[in-house]
Amino acid sequence: QVQVVESGGGLVQAGGSLRLSCTVSGLTFDYYAMAWFRQAPGKERQGLLCISRSGGISYYADSVKGRFTIPRDNAANTLYLQMNSLKPEDTAMYYCGVDHFSHCSGTWSNWGQGTQVTVSS
């Protein structure tokens, strides 16, 4: 079975930074592209960033470009979301998912339970 666990969320002030983690087990982690998503209250789940097997990055949301990056540590089977210059509008539940391919195809599965990020003004 594939297990995906997000962690690192919390309450932060606007302008601050957080580094979220996503650990994956049950598959060969470095074979697949990985992505971060978020869902705010009353809104649909929104794709943010994707990183391919080779390290190429795709941005799906203009609102986070220049503020969020998506490093991966294949040796640790871990995906990160580095969030800088946080805004109250970034408040959401954050999820990571596994792409069906080694490139960022936009087809995802194996979601975790998410980690909550709350940004105060």
Side-chain angles (χ1 to χ4, degrees):
Q1 291 183 320
V2 176
Q3 184 177 15
V4 178
V5 180
E6 299 95 342
S7 62
L11 176 64
V12 300
Q13 290 184 312
S17 297
L18 278 177
R19 190 175 181 91
L20 307 183
S21 298
C22 173
T23 58
V24 181
S25 62
L27 53 73
T28 305
F29 177 80
D30 62 357
Y31 282 8
Y32 299 97
M34 299 286 297
W36 283 98
F37 296 75
R38 70 185 180 190
Q39 187 169 20
K43 296 185 178 180
E44 298 293 323
R45 182 173 291 188
Q46 177 188 34
L48 301 175
L49 295 168
C50 178
I51 183 167
S52 72
R53 179 186 183 185
S54 63
I57 297 173
S58 297
Y59 284 85
Y60 297 131
D62 289 340
S63 62
V64 304
K65 186 178 294 185
R67 299 190 297 121
F68 292 9
T69 59
I70 187 170
R72 67 187 295 168
D73 184 346
N74 289 336
N77 284 16
T78 301
L79 178 75
Y80 300 99
L81 182 64
Q82 179 64 49
M83 304 186 293
N84 301 321
S85 301
L86 283 163
K87 304 174 181 179
E89 66 194 61
D90 295 319
T91 295
M93 185 72 76
Y94 284 73
Y95 303 88
C96 72
V98 184
D99 200 285
H100 292 180
F101 300 92
S102 61
H103 64 281
C104 293
S105 73
T107 304
W108 316 103
S109 62
N110 298 312
W111 304 102
Q113 294 189 19
T115 185
Q116 177 68 39
V117 173
T118 302
V119 184
S120 62
S121 60

